[in-house]
Amino acid sequence: MKNPTIFRCVLAGLALSLPALGQSAKCLDASAESHHQVLYESQGARVLLLDLPRIASTQPYCYARPYLFVVTGAGKSSSTPEGSATYSHDWNGPEARFIYTPLKHVLRNESMVPFRAVIVETFHQVDYDPMQGNYDVDLFPSDFGSVKPTWTVSFTRGTIGASKTQLAPGDSTSVVGTNSYHLLIALTEVSLAKESPGGVVEQLQLGTQEVRMLPPGPAFQLSNEASQPARFVMIEF
Protein backbone atom coordinates (compact mmCIF):
# COMPACT_ATOMS: atom_id res chain seq x y z
CA MET A 1 0.00 0.00 0.00
CA LYS A 2 1.65 3.20 -1.15
CA ASN A 3 -0.11 5.75 1.05
CA PRO A 4 1.30 5.39 4.62
CA THR A 5 -1.63 7.29 6.17
CA ILE A 6 -4.15 4.90 4.64
CA PHE A 7 -1.95 1.99 5.70
CA ARG A 8 -1.98 3.14 9.35
CA CYS A 9 -5.76 3.55 9.25
CA VAL A 10 -6.18 0.04 7.82
CA LEU A 11 -3.98 -1.37 10.57
CA ALA A 12 -5.99 0.47 13.21
CA GLY A 13 -9.23 -0.83 11.74
CA LEU A 14 -7.95 -4.39 11.73
CA ALA A 15 -6.82 -4.05 15.33
CA LEU A 16 -10.26 -2.85 16.40
CA SER A 17 -12.12 -5.50 14.41
CA LEU A 18 -10.15 -8.40 15.82
CA PRO A 19 -11.56 -10.02 18.98
CA ALA A 20 -9.68 -9.40 22.19
CA LEU A 21 -7.61 -12.56 21.99
CA GLY A 22 -6.65 -12.38 25.63
CA GLN A 23 -10.30 -12.26 26.63
CA SER A 24 -11.47 -15.05 24.31
CA ALA A 25 -9.22 -17.63 25.95
CA LYS A 26 -8.41 -18.25 29.58
CA CYS A 27 -6.08 -15.48 30.67
CA LEU A 28 -4.55 -14.37 33.95
CA ASP A 29 -6.10 -11.06 34.94
CA ALA A 30 -3.59 -8.27 35.56
CA SER A 31 -4.76 -7.97 39.17
CA ALA A 32 -3.52 -11.53 39.80
CA GLU A 33 -0.18 -11.02 38.03
CA SER A 34 2.55 -10.74 40.68
CA HIS A 35 4.07 -7.47 39.40
CA HIS A 36 0.74 -5.59 39.44
CA GLN A 37 -0.96 -3.83 42.33
CA VAL A 38 -4.58 -2.62 42.26
CA LEU A 39 -4.77 0.96 43.55
CA TYR A 40 -8.45 1.61 42.93
CA GLU A 41 -11.51 -0.11 41.50
CA SER A 42 -15.11 0.96 40.91
CA GLN A 43 -17.90 0.34 38.41
CA GLY A 44 -16.33 2.88 36.06
CA ALA A 45 -12.58 2.34 36.26
CA ARG A 46 -9.72 0.29 37.66
CA VAL A 47 -6.24 1.62 38.39
CA LEU A 48 -3.19 -0.64 38.58
CA LEU A 49 0.48 -0.04 39.25
CA LEU A 50 3.03 -2.17 37.39
CA ASP A 51 6.53 -2.51 38.84
CA LEU A 52 9.13 -4.62 37.04
CA PRO A 53 12.66 -5.02 38.44
CA ARG A 54 15.52 -4.77 35.99
CA ILE A 55 15.67 -7.60 33.42
CA ALA A 56 12.44 -9.15 34.73
CA SER A 57 9.29 -10.36 32.96
CA THR A 58 5.64 -10.63 33.82
CA GLN A 59 3.61 -13.78 33.51
CA PRO A 60 1.30 -13.91 30.45
CA TYR A 61 -1.63 -11.72 31.46
CA CYS A 62 -4.52 -9.56 30.24
CA TYR A 63 -6.09 -6.24 31.12
CA ALA A 64 -9.86 -6.43 31.36
CA ARG A 65 -10.88 -3.30 29.43
CA PRO A 66 -9.45 -0.61 27.13
CA TYR A 67 -6.80 1.22 29.11
CA LEU A 68 -4.46 4.16 29.40
CA PHE A 69 -0.83 3.08 29.91
CA VAL A 70 1.48 5.74 31.39
CA VAL A 71 5.19 4.95 31.73
CA THR A 72 6.64 7.09 34.51
CA GLY A 73 10.32 7.24 33.50
CA ALA A 74 12.91 6.48 30.86
CA GLY A 75 13.71 2.85 30.10
CA LYS A 76 13.27 0.01 27.62
CA SER A 77 10.70 -2.76 27.55
CA SER A 78 9.58 -5.52 25.21
CA SER A 79 6.13 -6.98 24.70
CA THR A 80 5.22 -10.41 23.35
CA PRO A 81 1.52 -10.75 22.46
CA GLU A 82 0.26 -14.32 22.38
CA GLY A 83 0.94 -15.83 18.97
CA SER A 84 2.95 -12.82 17.78
CA ALA A 85 6.57 -11.74 17.56
CA THR A 86 8.27 -9.76 20.32
CA TYR A 87 8.71 -6.03 19.79
CA SER A 88 10.69 -3.61 21.97
CA HIS A 89 10.30 0.05 22.83
CA ASP A 90 12.61 2.74 24.21
CA TRP A 91 10.77 5.09 26.57
CA ASN A 92 12.03 8.67 26.71
CA GLY A 93 10.68 9.54 30.13
CA PRO A 94 6.97 9.88 30.89
CA GLU A 95 4.90 8.68 27.92
CA ALA A 96 1.28 7.64 27.48
CA ARG A 97 -0.51 5.20 25.19
CA PHE A 98 -4.19 4.25 24.94
CA ILE A 99 -4.86 0.60 24.11
CA TYR A 100 -8.30 0.00 22.61
CA THR A 101 -8.10 -3.81 22.28
CA PRO A 102 -6.27 -5.54 25.15
CA LEU A 103 -4.36 -8.70 24.24
CA LYS A 104 -2.78 -11.46 26.26
CA HIS A 105 0.92 -10.71 26.43
CA VAL A 106 4.18 -10.82 28.38
CA LEU A 107 5.97 -7.58 29.26
CA ARG A 108 9.70 -7.58 29.96
CA ASN A 109 11.90 -4.86 31.40
CA GLU A 110 14.93 -4.76 29.10
CA SER A 111 16.77 -2.03 31.03
CA MET A 112 19.04 -2.02 34.07
CA VAL A 113 16.68 0.24 36.03
CA PRO A 114 13.23 -0.57 37.47
CA PHE A 115 10.29 -0.12 35.10
CA ARG A 116 7.09 1.47 36.45
CA ALA A 117 3.78 2.14 34.70
CA VAL A 118 0.33 3.27 35.78
CA ILE A 119 -2.64 1.64 34.06
CA VAL A 120 -6.15 3.11 34.09
CA GLU A 121 -8.78 0.76 32.68
CA THR A 122 -12.07 2.36 31.66
CA PHE A 123 -15.37 0.51 31.74
CA HIS A 124 -16.83 3.12 29.36
CA GLN A 125 -16.76 2.85 25.58
CA VAL A 126 -13.94 4.75 23.85
CA ASP A 127 -14.20 5.03 20.06
CA TYR A 128 -11.03 5.07 17.99
CA ASP A 129 -10.67 8.26 15.95
CA PRO A 130 -8.27 7.85 12.98
CA MET A 131 -7.95 11.64 12.81
CA GLN A 132 -5.99 11.51 16.07
CA GLY A 133 -3.07 10.02 14.11
CA ASN A 134 -0.79 7.10 14.85
CA TYR A 135 -2.11 5.28 17.94
CA ASP A 136 1.40 4.11 18.91
CA VAL A 137 2.92 7.49 19.74
CA ASP A 138 3.11 9.47 22.97
CA LEU A 139 -0.27 11.06 23.66
CA PHE A 140 1.22 13.94 25.63
CA PRO A 141 1.69 16.96 23.33
CA SER A 142 5.17 18.45 23.05
CA ASP A 143 6.00 20.41 26.19
CA PHE A 144 8.13 23.51 26.77
CA GLY A 145 10.95 21.81 28.70
CA SER A 146 13.19 24.48 30.20
CA VAL A 147 12.03 27.19 27.74
CA LYS A 148 9.20 28.17 30.09
CA PRO A 149 9.36 27.81 33.89
CA THR A 150 5.72 26.73 34.25
CA TRP A 151 3.56 24.89 31.72
CA THR A 152 0.90 22.19 31.29
CA VAL A 153 0.08 19.94 28.32
CA SER A 154 -2.88 17.56 28.28
CA PHE A 155 -5.08 15.14 26.33
CA THR A 156 -8.30 13.16 26.79
CA ARG A 157 -9.50 9.72 25.75
CA GLY A 158 -13.15 9.09 26.52
CA THR A 159 -13.78 9.79 30.20
CA ILE A 160 -10.04 9.79 31.03
CA GLY A 161 -8.02 12.99 31.02
CA ALA A 162 -4.28 13.34 31.63
CA SER A 163 -1.99 16.34 32.00
CA LYS A 164 1.76 16.78 32.37
CA THR A 165 2.81 19.86 34.34
CA GLN A 166 5.97 21.69 35.35
CA LEU A 167 5.71 24.22 38.18
CA ALA A 168 8.46 26.71 38.91
CA PRO A 169 9.23 27.30 42.62
CA GLY A 170 6.38 29.28 44.15
CA ASP A 171 4.05 28.84 41.15
CA SER A 172 0.58 27.28 41.30
CA THR A 173 -1.87 25.48 39.05
CA SER A 174 -5.62 25.04 39.46
CA VAL A 175 -7.44 21.70 39.27
CA VAL A 176 -11.15 21.84 38.49
CA GLY A 177 -13.36 20.21 41.10
CA THR A 178 -15.34 17.24 39.82
CA ASN A 179 -16.86 13.95 40.92
CA SER A 180 -13.81 12.25 39.42
CA TYR A 181 -10.73 10.85 41.10
CA HIS A 182 -7.29 12.25 40.33
CA LEU A 183 -4.07 10.25 40.33
CA LEU A 184 -0.89 12.24 40.93
CA ILE A 185 2.36 10.81 39.51
CA ALA A 186 5.56 12.59 40.57
CA LEU A 187 8.12 12.80 37.76
CA THR A 188 10.61 14.50 40.09
CA GLU A 189 10.70 14.82 43.85
CA VAL A 190 7.83 17.18 44.65
CA SER A 191 6.72 19.18 47.66
CA LEU A 192 3.26 20.48 46.82
CA ALA A 193 0.67 22.31 48.87
CA LYS A 194 -2.91 21.28 47.95
CA GLU A 195 -5.20 24.16 48.95
CA SER A 196 -8.97 23.59 48.90
CA PRO A 197 -11.75 26.17 49.41
CA GLY A 198 -11.85 27.48 52.96
CA GLY A 199 -8.08 27.56 53.23
CA VAL A 200 -7.67 23.85 53.95
CA VAL A 201 -4.09 22.90 53.03
CA GLU A 202 -2.69 19.40 52.58
CA GLN A 203 1.01 18.76 52.06
CA LEU A 204 1.90 16.34 49.27
CA GLN A 205 5.49 15.17 49.34
CA LEU A 206 6.36 12.45 46.85
CA GLY A 207 9.59 10.93 45.60
CA THR A 208 10.34 10.44 41.92
CA GLN A 209 7.79 8.09 40.27
CA GLU A 210 5.65 7.85 43.42
CA VAL A 211 1.88 7.98 42.99
CA ARG A 212 -0.90 9.37 45.17
CA MET A 213 -4.68 9.02 44.77
CA LEU A 214 -6.66 12.22 45.33
CA PRO A 215 -10.39 11.70 46.06
CA PRO A 216 -13.22 13.65 44.39
CA GLY A 217 -13.96 17.09 45.77
CA PRO A 218 -14.12 20.80 45.06
CA ALA A 219 -11.59 22.68 42.95
CA PHE A 220 -8.14 23.07 44.47
CA GLN A 221 -4.75 24.63 43.82
CA LEU A 222 -1.38 22.90 43.77
CA SER A 223 1.61 25.09 44.69
CA ASN A 224 5.27 24.17 44.41
CA GLU A 225 6.89 24.77 47.80
CA ALA A 226 10.32 23.41 46.82
CA SER A 227 13.31 25.37 45.56
CA GLN A 228 13.43 23.31 42.35
CA PRO A 229 10.85 22.93 39.54
CA ALA A 230 8.23 20.26 40.21
CA ARG A 231 7.17 17.97 37.38
CA PHE A 232 4.18 15.65 37.63
CA VAL A 233 1.38 13.92 35.74
CA MET A 234 -2.25 14.17 36.81
CA ILE A 235 -4.77 11.61 35.55
CA GLU A 236 -8.49 12.28 35.96
CA PHE A 237 -10.96 9.42 35.66
Side-chain angles (χ1 to χ4, degrees):
M1 191 171 294
K2 296 182 179 180
N3 189 315
T5 301
I6 296 176
F7 182 61
R8 286 196 296 268
C9 291
V10 170
L11 286 179
L14 288 174
L16 293 175
S17 65
L18 288 172
L21 298 180
Q23 309 304 319
S24 63
K26 185 176 181 180
C27 183
L28 179 69
D29 184 75
S31 62
E33 202 283 320
S34 60
H35 298 90
H36 285 79
Q37 175 187 354
V38 177
L39 301 181
Y40 170 84
E41 188 168 9
S42 71
Q43 293 183 340
R46 183 171 69 163
V47 181
L48 302 102
L49 183 66
L50 169 63
D51 278 311
L52 271 177
R54 59 190 185 93
I55 315 301
S57 300
T58 66
Q59 302 165 264
Y61 72 97
C62 299
Y63 293 114
R65 299 288 191 278
Y67 61 95
L68 177 67
F69 189 83
V70 179
V71 176
T72 60
K76 182 175 183 178
S77 68
S78 64
S79 180
T80 308
E82 186 176 48
S84 300
T86 298
Y87 62 92
S88 61
H89 189 90
D90 292 303
W91 303 97
N92 299 311
E95 294 189 39
R97 302 287 189 276
F98 193 88
I99 310 301
Y100 294 86
T101 307
L103 299 176
K104 183 177 183 180
H105 70 288
V106 172
L107 189 69
R108 178 175 171 83
N109 179 7
E110 302 287 358
S111 68
M112 298 302 292
V113 297
F115 178 89
R116 169 167 281 195
V118 173
I119 299 93
V120 182
E121 296 178 333
T122 178
F123 294 1
H124 303 283
Q125 180 175 339
V126 183
D127 295 323
Y128 175 74
D129 182 359
M131 298 302 293
Q132 292 174 337
N134 190 338
Y135 56 91
D136 192 27
V137 297
D138 185 14
L139 295 178
F140 285 116
S142 298
D143 60 53
F144 296 94
S146 59
V147 175
K148 293 181 64 176
T150 295
W151 46 260
T152 295
V153 295
S154 61
F155 68 88
T156 60
R157 285 295 183 273
T159 59
I160 300 175
S163 61
K164 182 170 61 173
T165 296
Q166 176 174 285
L167 283 182
D171 279 1
S172 301
T173 185
S174 297
V175 179
V176 177
T178 66
N179 294 323
S180 302
Y181 278 83
H182 290 86
L183 186 69
L184 176 65
I185 306 171
L187 304 179
T188 61
E189 289 188 8
V190 300
S191 180
L192 302 172
K194 175 178 177 285
E195 184 174 358
S196 301
V200 178
V201 177
E202 178 185 358
Q203 300 296 324
L204 302 174
Q205 297 192 9
L206 288 78
T208 304
Q209 299 191 44
E210 281 193 53
V211 300
R212 181 77 55 85
M213 188 78 71
L214 305 179
F220 59 88
Q221 274 200 330
L222 288 177
S223 301
N224 180 13
E225 297 195 324
S227 59
Q228 300 294 325
R231 298 189 70 198
F232 55 87
V233 166
M234 186 82 78
I235 303 174
E236 180 184 347
F237 59 92

